[in-house]
Amino acid sequence: MSVPGELTFVAPRRAKPPRHLADLDVEARRAAVLEHGEPRYRSDQLSRHYFERLISDPAGMTDLPAATRDTLASDLFPQLLTPVRELTCDDGATVKTLWRLFDGALVESVLMRYPDRSTVCVSSQAGCGMNCPFCATGQAGLTRNLSTGEIVEQVVAAARSLAHGDVAGGVGRVNNVVFMGMGEPLANYAPLLRALRRITDPSPAGLGLSQRGITVSTVGLVPAIDRLAGEGLSVTLAVSLHAPDDELRNTLVPVNTRWPVDQVLDAAWRYAERTKRRVSIEYALIRDINDQAWRANLLGDRLRGHLVHLNLIPLNPTPGSKWTASRPEDEAEFVRRLEGHGVAVTVRDTRGREIDGACGQLAATGADR
Ligand code: SAH
C-alpha cells in the first residue's frame, strides 16, 4: 500500500560512498578545512600526505596536531577500499586485488609491472551495464557507479605498493593508468572526469601522472566521446570495436544498436582530430566469430588513413563461454591483412590470465574463487 505523499515509484537511492579528500577539488578541500575551523594551509598539507607520501592513515601525519588528526584527517580519509584478496602471477609482476567497497560491493584492479613501466588497470563501476556476452563483468550487470575517490584510491593503492617495494622488481611508480577494469567509464562520466583530473593534476591538487599515460576505454558512447574530446585532456581514447560490421557488433557489443559502427568510428576520428592523440581500437579475436579474413579487410578499409592503432586481444574465455581465442594461423592472417592496409597493429599480451586478471575476466563474484 502506498502512503499518500510518498514517492513510491522512485527507486531507492543507494547510500553514497563517504566523502574523501580525493573527491574534492582544491577549493572544496579548503572549504572543508575551514568548516573544521582549521587554517586553510592544512588543505595542502593533507593533500601532500595523500598524493605525495601516499599516506591516508591520520596517525602517520605527524606534522599535524593530534586533535587535527583525530577530527579533520579522519573525516577526509575514510577507508573506501578494503582488500579482500590479492592474487599474483607472472612471477609476481602481475597483481590483482579484489576490493570491498563501503557498502559491500566488490571491484578489482590489476597492477602490471613491465621492465620499463608499471600499468594499473582500474574499475570505474561495480559491475557493468553494457552486457557484452564475451566479457565476464558484463554477465552480472551493473551494481553501481564508483565515486571519484573510489577510482582514485585504486591508483593510489597501486602507487603505494610500488613505492613500498611490495611488487616484484623493487621500488617503482605508476606510469600508466588504463580504465579497462570493471565497468563502462563513459557511463560514469562526472566521477571519471574528476578522477582523471585528480590523477593527472600536479601535487598538491593531485597525483601528477602524465595525461599521456592514461587510457579511457569505451564501448562507444558517442555523445560522451565528444564530450571527453572537449575537456582539454591529452588522454588516450580506446574504443572496443570487436567487429567492423553492425550485424555482428550488435551481438558482441549490444549498445551498437544505439550507436552503430560508423557513428562510433566517426566519434573516434573527431576525438583524434581534437586531441591530436592516436586512438586505440580494441578488437578481441574470437575464433570463427570475428576473425575471418574478409572481416580483417573490412576493418582495414574502415581504419585505413586514420590516426589509429589497432590492439588485437586474443579472447580470454570466461567461465561457461562457448567462445575461445582465434587459431594462431587465423590471428597471423588477420594481422597480415591489417598491416597490408597500412594499419598499425599489435597483439596484446595477456597478462594475468591464470588469475582471471586479464581483459574481460574481472568478475568479483565473491571470496570463493
Ligand atoms: N567498458 C569498457 C572498458 C572495460 S573492458 C570497454 O568495453 O571498453 C576493457 C577491454 O577488454 C575492452 O576492450 C573489452 O571489450 C575487452 N574484453 C572484455 N572481455 C574480454 C575477453 N573475454 N577477452 C578479451 N578481451 C575482453
Side-chain angles (χ1 to χ4, degrees):
M1 273 283 296
S2 67
V3 180
E6 251 188 7
L7 293 170
T8 40
F9 298 106
V10 175
R13 277 180 72 92
R14 284 184 167 272
K16 277 194 171 173
R19 180 188 67 167
H20 188 281
L21 178 126
D23 289 312
L24 308 176
D25 62 18
V26 168
E27 214 169 294
R29 282 176 222 166
R30 295 214 171 111
V33 162
L34 294 175
E35 257 169 47
H36 273 269
E38 294 268 351
R40 56 192 285 135
Y41 65 81
R42 290 269 184 260
S43 165
D44 281 2
Q45 272 183 314
L46 292 165
S47 300
R48 288 187 200 282
H49 276 301
Y50 184 64
F51 288 116
E52 285 182 28
R53 294 173 203 110
L54 308 171
I55 295 174
S56 52
D57 177 3
M61 304 180 185
T62 49
D63 57 338
L64 302 182
T68 306
R69 280 183 247 156
D70 290 343
T71 53
L72 179 59
S74 308
D75 180 40
L76 285 175
F77 298 106
Q79 182 161 4
L80 295 179
L81 308 181
T82 307
V84 177
R85 191 173 51 236
E86 199 173 88
L87 295 172
T88 59
C89 67
D90 304 319
D91 292 327
T94 304
V95 184
K96 180 177 83 163
T97 310
L98 172 67
W99 305 102
R100 179 174 289 116
L101 310 180
F102 86 104
D103 57 354
L106 298 170
V107 297
E108 294 179 323
S109 59
V110 185
L111 176 55
M112 289 158 283
R113 191 101 194 246
Y114 302 93
D116 56 335
R117 71 201 150 91
S118 298
T119 299
V120 57
C121 174
V122 298
S123 297
S124 55
Q125 299 180 312
C128 186
M130 296 298 126
N131 208 22
C132 303
F134 57 90
C135 174
T137 308
Q139 306 319 301
L142 176 64
T143 302
R144 70 166 169 86
N145 285 326
L146 299 194
S147 67
T148 302
E150 288 169 330
I151 298 170
V152 173
E153 265 281 275
Q154 295 172 62
V155 181
V156 169
R160 193 180 287 137
S161 59
L162 287 165
H164 293 174
D166 294 342
V167 185
V171 171
R173 51 190 291 272
V174 173
N175 306 96
N176 302 105
V177 179
V178 297
F179 286 81
M180 294 187 181
M182 303 170 77
E184 167 51 41
L186 294 187
N188 185 21
Y189 192 88
L192 168 76
L193 196 77
R194 284 193 292 267
L196 291 174
R197 300 229 184 265
R198 227 64 89 221
I199 292 165
T200 60
D201 282 349
S203 178
L207 259 182
L209 303 190
S210 164
Q211 290 181 4
R212 287 158 183 273
I214 317 283
T215 298
V216 174
S217 182
T218 178
V219 288
L221 307 183
V222 167
I225 293 175
D226 283 325
R227 200 168 155 198
L228 188 65
E231 302 286 1
L233 290 166
S234 288
V235 302
T236 299
L237 178 75
V239 173
S240 297
L241 197 66
H242 305 311
D245 55 303
D246 287 324
E247 194 186 349
L248 179 58
R249 194 166 191 268
N250 283 343
T251 69
L252 294 181
V253 185
V255 77
N256 193 70
T257 54
R258 179 96 176 262
W259 292 290
V261 173
D262 272 344
Q263 290 184 28
V264 170
L265 288 180
D266 281 347
W269 311 146
R270 287 194 294 276
Y271 187 91
E273 175 64 30
R274 284 187 79 172
T275 62
K276 309 292 175 221
R277 303 282 304 154
R278 188 163 77 161
V279 170
S280 287
I281 299 292
E282 310 289 298
Y283 197 107
L285 281 172
I286 312 175
R287 183 181 296 187
D288 297 331
I289 299 291
N290 65 353
D291 61 356
Q292 303 85 352
W294 71 266
R295 276 208 166 86
N297 290 341
L298 181 57
L299 181 62
D301 288 340
R302 299 205 137 182
L303 303 188
R304 178 200 291 271
H306 291 284
L307 194 57
V308 67
H309 184 97
L310 176 65
N311 252 315
L312 298 173
I313 317 166
L315 183 81
N316 291 303
T318 58
S321 166
K322 53 183 188 277
W323 290 323
T324 188
S326 299
R327 294 172 201 87
E329 61 270 28
D330 293 337
E331 177 185 297
E333 181 62 15
F334 206 89
V335 170
R336 203 186 61 79
R337 290 190 182 235
L338 266 303
E339 282 171 349
H341 282 76
V343 175
V345 46
T346 46
V347 179
R348 179 179 293 168
D349 87 315
T350 51
R351 276 287 186 99
R353 255 185 123 137
E354 55 282 33
I355 53 170
D356 290 347
C359 297
Q361 293 184 315
L362 303 185
T365 46
D368 56 337
R369 291 192 312 151

